[in-house]
């Protein structure tokens, strides 16, 4: 089991990517947060894109188990390892709420000159498309295609001639100067060149300018913490970014940088991951306008396996995302799906006998299709994350970052905000709630039996007893959100 991520998924299967689908409240974010933690515990660094503010809490470790159980569980041991061996950094483009991150895709193009001509052309077109998306063009419209063609000509001609374009301001100046260029006149009218130059110039004012001029320059080696002793999880916190176009630009730029990085340093073994939650707007169905982020994500899914990068995606249903995203993932996880059409969309992934159960799955209960790990669909009960599961406010993110010298792998020392999760359960047990006293007694009894069965080493089987399953289900049913943090809930998958 040592080579299994979370004791369930092989490292090889994670290279073939993971997609998790489930209605709001089904537990998909909790499930994949646990996988993110397990990847880090296995020594695999990663980048987590946090578009809604509920993943930055990976930086705050849950408080220790204070229910006075007699045996330290494997989960408690892993929680301590997560606190000691994993470093979580919260990056914030356009602001210093967290650790400021400068995202300038033009700066990253210098690295593509080492790649072959096909990869260079793809990179030039990708950056041109991202800049046009940010400038407000629909890259699939006639005006958008012309704008992309203009920038593609400018960027490729400059970089292939050894002339670097360092900033968006330089790019806008070059667009102004390109009016009358013979090659550009073949693909666009002079009025279109002038309009593009004007829009690019407008990107050099306000919040847009901060995006690619403020903060530490984006480096995949830095985001992954290559060379550090601790395994790094970099959370890209986009909650302060209010423009959807800017979020798409950021996600596309990071995926493009990751793609260039893995092509420059090819290695087949699992060495990095990316997690994108609520991915729908960034890789939408093909019948909707396609931002550059969609092409970048699909390219990562197609090529990541060969170069050691795992992609983990989550969405509320499959109809919200490009079919190329789901078709390139070998491991498919389904939580509660109440709409008939949503269940029909996963029919080719989930065994027929399980489809009828999808509307009635409890929060946190999943069905898994993963041919590399299981012969048929399995039930999976993900453990509760080692980190807190809640949405952080901007002031809390600032506090965590400001007090970085007092943070041990994302755990703020004895701050109230680091100990909110699990207090409700703890208070119930301490205040005489008979049900919770029975739960603690049953938990202790289970581990006493396991200790006796294994000659005192405390290692039991991977499958929970029926009593303990009922206890855990009761905990989930009667407590939501923070209330589950101290409830041991196994990560084992059960075959039916």
């Amino acid at each position: 089991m040592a080579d299994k991520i979370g004791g369930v998924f092989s490292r090889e299967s994670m290279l073939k990517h993971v997609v998790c689908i489930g209605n709001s409240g089904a537990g998909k974010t909790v499930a994949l947060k646990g996988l993110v933690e397990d990847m880090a515990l296995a020594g695999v660094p990663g980048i987590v894109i946090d578009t809604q503010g509920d993943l930055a809490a990976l930086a705050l470790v849950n408080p220790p188990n204070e229910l006075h159980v007699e045996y330290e569980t494997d989960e408690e041991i892993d929680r301590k390892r997560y606190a000691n061996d994993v470093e979580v950094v919260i990056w914030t483009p356009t602001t210093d709420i967290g650790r400021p991150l400068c995202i300038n895709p033009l700066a990253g193009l210098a690295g593509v000159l080492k790649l072959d001509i096909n990869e260079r052309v793809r990179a030039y077109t990708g950056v041109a498309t991202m800049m046009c998306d940010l400038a407000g063009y629909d890259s699939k419209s006639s005006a958008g295609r012309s704008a992309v063609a203009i920038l593609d000509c400018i960027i490729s001609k400059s970089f292939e001639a050894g002339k670097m374009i360092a900033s968006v301001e330089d790019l806008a100046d070059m667009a102004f100067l390109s009016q009358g260029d013979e090659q550009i006149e073949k693909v666009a009218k002079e009025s279109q060149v002038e309009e593009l130059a004007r829009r690019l110039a407008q990107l050099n004012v306000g919040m847009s300018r901060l995006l690619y001029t403020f903060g530490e320059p984006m480096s995949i080696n830095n985001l992954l913490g290559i060379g550090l002793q601790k395994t790094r999880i970099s959370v890209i916190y986009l909650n302060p970014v209010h423009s959807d176009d800017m979020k798409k630009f950021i996600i596309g730029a990071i995926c493009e940088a990751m793609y260039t990085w893995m092509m420059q340093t090819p290695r087949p073994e699992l060495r990095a991951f990316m997690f994108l939650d609520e991915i729908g707007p960034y890789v939408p169905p093909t019948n909707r306008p396609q931002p550059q982020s969609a092409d970048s994500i699909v390219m990562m899914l197609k090529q990541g396996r060969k170069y050691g990068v795992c992609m983990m995606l989550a969405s509320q249903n499959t109809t919200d995302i490009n079919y190329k995203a789901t078709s390139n993932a070998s491991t498919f996880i389904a939580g509660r799906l109440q709409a008939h059409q949503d269940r029909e969309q996963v029919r080719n992934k989930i065994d027929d006998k399980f489809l009828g159960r999808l509307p009635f799955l409890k929060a946190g209960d999943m069905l898994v299709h993963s041919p590399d790990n299981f012969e048929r669909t399995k039930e999976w009960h993900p453990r509760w994350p080692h980190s807190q599961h809640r949405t952080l406010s901007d002031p809390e993110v600032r506090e965590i970052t400001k007090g970085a010298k007092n943070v041990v792998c994302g755990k703020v020392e004895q701050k109230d905000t680091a100990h909110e999760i699990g207090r409700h359960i703890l208070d119930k047990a301490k205040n005489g709630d008979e049900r919770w006293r029975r739960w603690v007694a049953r938990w202790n009894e289970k581990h006493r039996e396991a200790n006796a069965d294994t000659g005192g080493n405390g290692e039991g089987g991977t499958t929970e007893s029926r009593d303990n399953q009922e206890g855990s289900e009761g905990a989930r049913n009667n407590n939501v959100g923070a209330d589950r943090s101290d409830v041991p809930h196994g990560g084992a998958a059960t075959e039916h």
Side-chain angles (χ1 to χ4, degrees):
M1 299 289 282
D3 61 341
K4 299 275 190 178
I5 302 297
V8 178
F9 303 103
S10 70
R11 297 175 74 96
E12 292 75 17
S13 70
M14 295 300 288
L15 275 176
K16 298 179 182 178
H17 314 305
V18 178
V19 168
C20 184
I21 302 295
N23 293 156
S24 179
K28 58 186 180 296
T29 302
V30 168
L32 290 190
K33 277 185 72 174
L35 270 183
V36 164
E37 295 170 352
D38 289 332
M39 290 281 271
L41 288 172
V44 183
I47 298 171
V48 173
I49 308 294
D50 185 4
T51 59
Q52 299 181 327
D54 56 352
L55 298 176
L58 283 162
L60 296 178
V61 181
N62 276 323
N65 193 327
E66 299 179 37
L67 288 174
H68 308 296
V69 296
E70 297 173 11
Y71 299 96
E72 188 172 52
T73 65
D74 289 342
E75 186 171 339
E76 284 294 324
I77 294 172
D78 284 344
R79 185 182 301 183
K80 289 180 179 179
R81 287 181 55 219
Y82 183 76
N84 294 325
D85 299 341
V86 178
E87 176 188 56
V88 180
V89 180
I90 304 175
W91 301 88
T92 53
T94 76
T95 177
D96 61 357
I97 290 173
R99 191 163 164 178
L101 182 65
C102 173
I103 298 184
N104 178 8
L106 291 165
L109 283 178
V112 307
L113 294 175
K114 302 175 183 177
L115 305 179
D116 63 45
I117 184 62
N118 291 330
E119 293 299 337
R120 296 203 302 273
V121 169
R122 195 204 67 80
Y124 298 147
T125 304
V127 171
T129 306
M130 280 191 289
M131 295 308 304
C132 288
D133 286 346
L134 189 61
Y137 286 97
D138 175 2
S139 59
K140 304 304 180 184
S141 68
S142 177
R145 289 194 298 271
S146 295
V148 171
I150 295 167
L151 286 189
D152 200 337
C153 288
I154 294 172
I155 293 171
S156 59
K157 183 185 291 187
S158 297
F159 277 87
E160 289 298 313
K163 299 176 182 178
M164 304 296 106
I165 304 174
S167 67
V168 175
E169 185 176 5
D170 290 344
L171 185 61
D173 290 342
M174 293 189 71
F176 275 115
L177 295 173
S178 68
Q179 297 182 62
D181 182 279
E182 183 177 345
Q183 183 180 2
I184 290 178
E185 283 183 341
K186 294 178 180 179
V187 298
K189 299 176 182 178
E190 185 174 339
S191 60
Q192 292 174 317
V193 179
E194 185 178 350
E195 172 64 14
L196 173 60
R198 183 182 62 82
R199 291 198 190 192
L200 290 174
Q202 290 174 345
L203 294 179
N204 287 301
V205 296
M207 292 294 291
S208 297
R209 180 178 177 82
L210 292 177
L211 179 60
Y212 33 79
T213 61
F214 178 64
E216 298 179 42
M218 179 176 61
S219 158
I220 297 301
N221 279 334
N222 194 20
L223 292 180
L224 296 178
I226 302 299
L228 299 180
Q229 286 189 329
K230 294 180 179 179
T231 303
R232 174 173 286 184
I233 299 173
S234 278
V235 178
I236 314 299
Y237 179 73
L238 300 183
N239 203 44
V241 179
H242 300 300
S243 164
D244 287 338
D245 287 340
M246 194 175 290
K247 288 182 179 180
K248 293 171 185 175
F249 175 86
I250 292 169
I251 292 171
I254 293 173
C255 287
E256 287 292 327
M258 177 69 95
Y259 181 81
T260 300
W261 173 82
M262 72 182 190
M263 295 295 289
Q264 289 175 331
T265 58
R267 281 167 47 194
E269 70 272 13
L270 180 62
R271 55 180 174 143
F273 70 88
M274 288 187 70
F275 171 37
L276 299 94
D277 196 8
E278 301 298 350
I279 194 61
Y282 312 106
V283 57
T286 53
N287 61 351
R288 300 179 193 172
Q290 296 291 296
Q292 176 57 28
S293 59
D295 292 337
S296 302
I297 291 168
V298 170
M299 184 59 67
M300 285 296 303
L301 287 162
K302 288 181 177 180
Q303 301 294 332
R305 173 186 174 185
K306 293 188 294 186
Y307 298 100
V309 178
C310 163
M311 297 290 286
M312 294 189 284
L313 310 178
S315 180
Q316 294 196 22
N317 56 67
T318 57
T319 57
D320 282 344
I321 57 178
N322 193 317
Y323 74 92
K324 295 178 184 178
T326 54
S327 63
N328 277 286
S330 175
T331 295
F332 184 85
I333 303 171
R336 183 174 59 243
L337 291 172
Q338 294 180 318
H340 174 73
Q341 58 268 32
D342 292 342
R343 298 195 296 275
E344 287 300 307
Q345 290 291 326
V346 303
R347 182 177 289 276
N348 65 331
K349 298 288 188 181
I350 302 297
D351 293 351
D352 287 344
K353 69 176 182 178
F354 285 99
L355 284 175
R357 294 185 54 192
L358 283 172
F360 309 105
L361 290 176
K362 296 181 175 68
D365 290 342
M366 301 285 164
L367 300 177
V368 180
H369 169 84
S370 184
D372 295 291
N373 294 291
F374 318 119
E375 293 182 357
R376 56 180 68 89
T377 297
K378 283 199 174 187
E379 287 184 271
W380 180 41
H381 308 288
R383 63 166 178 79
W384 191 251
H386 302 311
S387 58
Q388 298 188 18
H389 182 59
R390 63 187 179 91
T391 300
L392 296 185
S393 65
D394 289 352
E396 286 176 309
V397 173
R398 186 185 295 277
E399 181 184 14
I400 293 169
T401 305
K402 182 180 178 181
K405 60 182 180 296
N406 297 322
V407 175
V408 181
C409 301
K411 182 175 179 180
V412 180
E413 293 181 349
Q414 301 304 317
K415 291 185 181 293
D416 292 341
T417 55
H419 296 278
E420 292 175 4
I421 302 299
R423 290 300 184 189
H424 189 52
I425 290 176
L426 180 60
D427 290 344
K428 279 189 172 185
K430 288 182 176 179
N431 293 335
D433 188 305
E434 185 59 29
R435 180 183 171 283
W436 282 99
R437 284 185 175 179
R438 289 198 306 270
W439 181 86
V440 174
R442 186 160 58 241
W443 183 249
N444 282 328
E445 181 62 28
K446 174 195 169 188
H447 284 275
R448 272 195 294 270
E449 293 173 356
N451 195 45
D453 291 343
T454 56
N457 62 9
E459 296 180 359
T462 59
T463 304
E464 292 179 334
S465 68
R466 174 58 57 184
D467 285 345
N468 192 56
Q469 288 178 3
E470 291 172 356
S472 294
E473 284 191 8
R476 293 198 307 276
N477 294 343
N478 288 277
N479 297 277
V480 296
D483 298 349
R484 290 177 53 192
S485 64
D486 284 318
V487 180
H489 189 41
T494 308
E495 186 173 350
H496 285 259

